[in-house]
Amino acid sequence: MEKKRILVVDDEVNITGMIKTRLEYAGEYEVMTLSDAKDIISRVRSFKPDCILLDLLMPEIGGIEVCQMLNNDPLGITIPIIVISALDKNVDKIKAYKLGVVDYLTKPFEAKALLYAVEKALKSRQQKL
């Protein structure tokens, strides 16, 4: 079975490392990490992820801007986005959901919740294809 590709975008290296380790340990995922989003579109086009895990609070380009950029890209708009953020106010969640994110996890999160969110996002993508 071909592994699903997951792109993790977060400026906290310990978070991206933990997510990468946990997903790869599950055996079903190939994971690429980015510590910033400045070349997100070119990375999406070259890696062709099946799902994107995205932090909202990052220097230079934040997660909301990344969602807008992906929504304006023919490939980007087809990829489910799961937000992983320390922001836990409803206003932040609503803003993200309005931009099309499929799930929203608040830091700190449990590994089981992460795996469930990724599985759910991948299933929803399969149904749309």
Side-chain angles (χ1 to χ4, degrees), residues 5 8 17 19-20 22 24 29 37-38 44 62 64 67-69 81 87 91 101-102 104 112-114:
R5 295 172 176 224
V8 182
I19 292 171
K20 180 177 174 71
R22 185 62 188 107
E24 288 181 346
Y29 307 106
K38 63 180 177 259
V44 163
I64 295 298
C67 287
Q68 293 166 335
M69 292 164 62
I81 299 171
L87 298 175
V91 66
V101 304
V102 297
Y104 195 111
K112 285 183 182 179
L114 172 69

Side-chain angles (χ1 to χ4, degrees), residues 99-112:
L99 288 169
V101 304
V102 297
D103 214 336
Y104 195 111
L105 299 176
T106 305
K107 294 177 186 176
F109 54 88
E110 292 186 27
K112 285 183 182 179

Side-chain angles (χ1 to χ4, degrees), residues 25-119:
Y25 180 76
E28 301 170 30
Y29 307 106
E30 177 184 344
V31 182
M32 173 188 275
T33 62
L34 295 177
S35 59
D36 63 61
K38 63 180 177 259
D39 60 348
I40 185 77
I41 298 299
S42 65
R43 293 298 181 108
V44 163
R45 289 185 181 157
S46 63
F47 185 62
K48 295 180 176 54
D50 296 292
C51 182
I52 297 173
L53 305 179
L54 177 66
D55 185 19
L56 291 184
L57 296 174
M58 294 184 292
E60 294 182 45
I61 302 172
I64 295 298
E65 291 85 3
V66 171
C67 287
Q68 293 166 335
M69 292 164 62
L70 291 168
N71 284 340
N72 289 318
D73 181 76
L75 177 59
I77 195 148
T78 67
I79 303 167
I81 299 171
I82 299 169
V83 166
I84 298 178
S85 179
L87 298 175
D88 66 348
K89 293 185 178 169
N90 282 338
V91 66
D92 299 312
K93 293 176 184 178
I94 290 168
K95 192 183 293 184
Y97 281 120
K98 281 184 177 179
L99 288 169
V101 304
V102 297
D103 214 336
Y104 195 111
L105 299 176
T106 305
K107 294 177 186 176
F109 54 88
E110 292 186 27
K112 285 183 182 179
L114 172 69
L115 288 170
Y116 176 75
V118 169
E119 289 169 12

